[in-house]
Amino acid sequence: MPGAVDQDTFDRSRRVGWLNLDAIFRTRVLMIGAGALGNEVGKCLALSGFRRVTVVDMDHVVGSNLNRCLFFTQEDARTGSKKAEVVARGIMDISPDARARAVVGRLEDLPGSFYDGFDIVLGCLDNIAARIHANSHAYHAGRPYIDGGMEGFIGRVMACLPPDGPCVQCGMNRSHAKVANMRFSCTGEGVVFHEPRLAAEITTTSIVSAVMVRECLKIASGRKDMTLRNTFYYDGQRNVAEEMEVPLDPRCPNHPPQVLQVSENHIMSGSVQ
Amino acid sequence: MVLLTFRLKVKNAETGATVEMELDGDNSVDEMIESAATFWNKDMGAYVLRKGKKVLRGGSTLKDAGVMAEDVLELIPDPEGG
């Protein structure tokens, strides 16, 4: 006969001293993107005890998604189910106590105040422009933003904790701008789309999503002291996993200078808008 | 104005290949990324250059980024997909 311990879904989690399960149950998570990464992150969130999850994605399921997306089925691909709705439903199937909500639409159409309703934002995005958008809105709303990215066997996770430290955009350079501009070089009828070098691959997706949700657990548990402050970089072909430092970029638009020197004799404090 | 020219190596993280580059301190990290990516015929995509564990800021000059002669920098892809 199973004992009381075996009846408690979260018994094993409770044994991890620093996990604050009550706080995790209450944490309002915004997950942007319900593709490969979104599926795996959704699974990890549900099993970890996150119950208040909102999933945003504008896209629908297609057959080529099925080799790396836990919640998507052939039927979803056949009927073109909305990714956000399928993932939200999948989270509630795993965790009956969860209240997952789907928002089917473009990230860019959400009002800036939308971010205020959440405690943590997770970026499961597939392009640089959307990443810049989510990062800046989360940063200015003062919400921790955990961003994941991957291509083939290479993955990356960055945790941004405003108002301190660098953000995702601090780590970008001209090569990122070129790629972002390609997606938006819309001249009348023509739109140039950039395809990532390699598609996501499920084993890399699993690792990246696990790191993202683990950082989420730390933040929700009030353990920012343990949270990743730099970038976690993973290369599955070379068997390398390491932390890299991304310095704060004083020219990043998300980090306006706090002191504006007006003249040699006058120093003005405050943000530059 | 006298520009100090120096040599350093850039390693291709994806293949392990290295290339020696001659630069001056006023060259930018962005320029280095473009040169190295072009040299190796890299696919269009985002890349970063790192020195040890530190990612170098694209807009900064090599001098400001603390890059010195004989340094070995590494060009790594910044994965975009999700």
Side-chain angles (χ1 to χ4, degrees):
Chain A
M1 285 283 288
V5 160
D6 293 321
Q7 303 292 345
D8 177 6
T9 303
F10 291 99
D11 171 72
R12 302 306 190 264
S13 300
R14 291 184 210 286
R15 298 183 194 195
V16 180
W18 59 265
L19 276 182
N20 184 342
L21 273 174
D22 289 336
I24 291 165
F25 293 155
R26 288 193 310 269
T27 298
R28 300 163 301 171
V29 178
L30 171 60
M31 187 175 91
I32 307 172
L37 203 46
N39 271 258
E40 287 293 302
V41 166
K43 175 200 75 178
C44 291
L45 286 171
L47 292 175
S48 299
F50 288 97
R51 293 174 170 172
R52 303 173 71 183
V53 182
T54 296
V55 185
V56 178
D57 199 299
M58 62 179 281
D59 211 355
H60 62 273
V61 179
V62 294
S64 63
N65 298 141
L66 301 180
N67 75 335
R68 56 192 183 279
C69 297
L70 174 73
F71 296 126
F72 298 168
T73 63
Q74 291 281 0
E75 181 64 8
D76 290 322
R78 192 184 64 76
T79 58
S81 302
K82 296 296 183 185
K83 289 181 175 179
E85 292 174 349
V86 176
V87 171
R89 201 164 50 238
I91 289 171
M92 291 191 286
D93 285 344
I94 290 177
S95 173
D97 293 321
R99 293 291 171 267
R101 184 165 70 105
V103 176
V104 177
R106 279 165 39 89
L107 168 66
E108 294 81 358
D109 293 337
L110 298 172
S113 59
F114 185 74
Y115 293 74
D116 296 338
F118 302 94
D119 302 303
I120 300 175
V121 182
L122 293 168
C124 306
L125 297 155
D126 67 354
N127 70 84
I128 290 169
R131 207 164 257 128
I132 289 172
H133 187 96
N135 168 68
S136 63
H137 279 75
Y139 203 91
H140 289 287
R143 300 296 186 265
Y145 176 65
I146 303 171
D147 184 75
M150 59 203 183
E151 277 174 12
F153 292 92
I154 293 175
R156 173 191 56 75
V157 177
M158 184 169 181
C160 311
L161 304 175
D164 301 319
C167 70
V168 169
Q169 204 167 340
C170 290
M172 293 184 176
N173 55 50
R174 206 152 67 193
S175 68
H176 296 80
K178 278 187 181 172
V179 173
N181 285 337
M182 278 186 79
R183 278 186 179 264
F184 289 97
S185 56
C186 182
T187 52
E189 297 175 354
V191 180
V192 180
F193 283 101
H194 163 68
E195 285 294 322
R197 287 166 289 222
L198 279 172
E201 184 278 329
I202 186 60
T203 63
T204 309
T205 309
S206 298
I207 288 170
V208 170
S209 62
V211 174
M212 291 175 73
V213 176
R214 191 173 57 223
E215 297 313 304
C216 210
L217 287 167
K218 293 174 187 172
I219 294 168
S221 298
R223 295 303 304 264
K224 287 187 180 176
D225 58 310
M226 292 164 58
T227 307
L228 178 69
R229 298 312 302 261
N230 290 300
T231 291
F232 169 83
Y233 194 84
Y234 170 74
D235 184 339
Q237 288 183 148
R238 292 191 297 156
N239 303 309
V240 171
E242 58 185 325
E243 197 176 353
M244 291 193 307
E245 180 193 347
V246 174
L248 190 145
D249 183 352
R251 285 182 295 186
C252 172
N254 297 319
H255 307 283
Q258 295 303 301
V259 177
L260 172 66
Q261 186 155 358
V262 178
S263 72
E264 285 184 2
N265 300 321
H266 297 85
I267 303 291
M268 209 165 92
S269 295
S271 297
V272 178
Q273 300 299 321
Chain B
M1 187 171 140
V2 180
L3 294 177
L4 196 61
T5 300
F6 58 90
R7 284 171 179 266
L8 51 77
K9 283 183 180 166
V10 179
K11 184 178 176 185
N12 181 341
E14 293 174 289
T15 64
T18 58
V19 61
E20 196 167 86
M21 299 178 80
E22 191 171 288
L23 301 136
D24 68 56
D26 284 341
N27 279 122
S28 71
V29 171
D30 276 328
E31 289 169 339
M32 253 192 105
I33 291 171
E34 283 171 359
S35 298
T38 302
F39 177 80
W40 281 308
N41 290 317
K42 290 278 190 190
D43 293 330
M44 180 74 187
Y47 295 89
V48 295
L49 202 56
R50 72 171 182 173
K51 178 182 175 180
K53 298 282 186 188
K54 190 172 180 179
V55 173
L56 303 181
R57 265 204 310 270
S60 61
T61 63
L62 298 180
K63 189 171 58 187
D64 291 342
V67 176
M68 293 179 288
E70 309 305 325
D71 273 347
V72 179
L73 309 180
E74 194 172 28
L75 183 75
I76 55 177
D78 191 3
E80 184 193 2

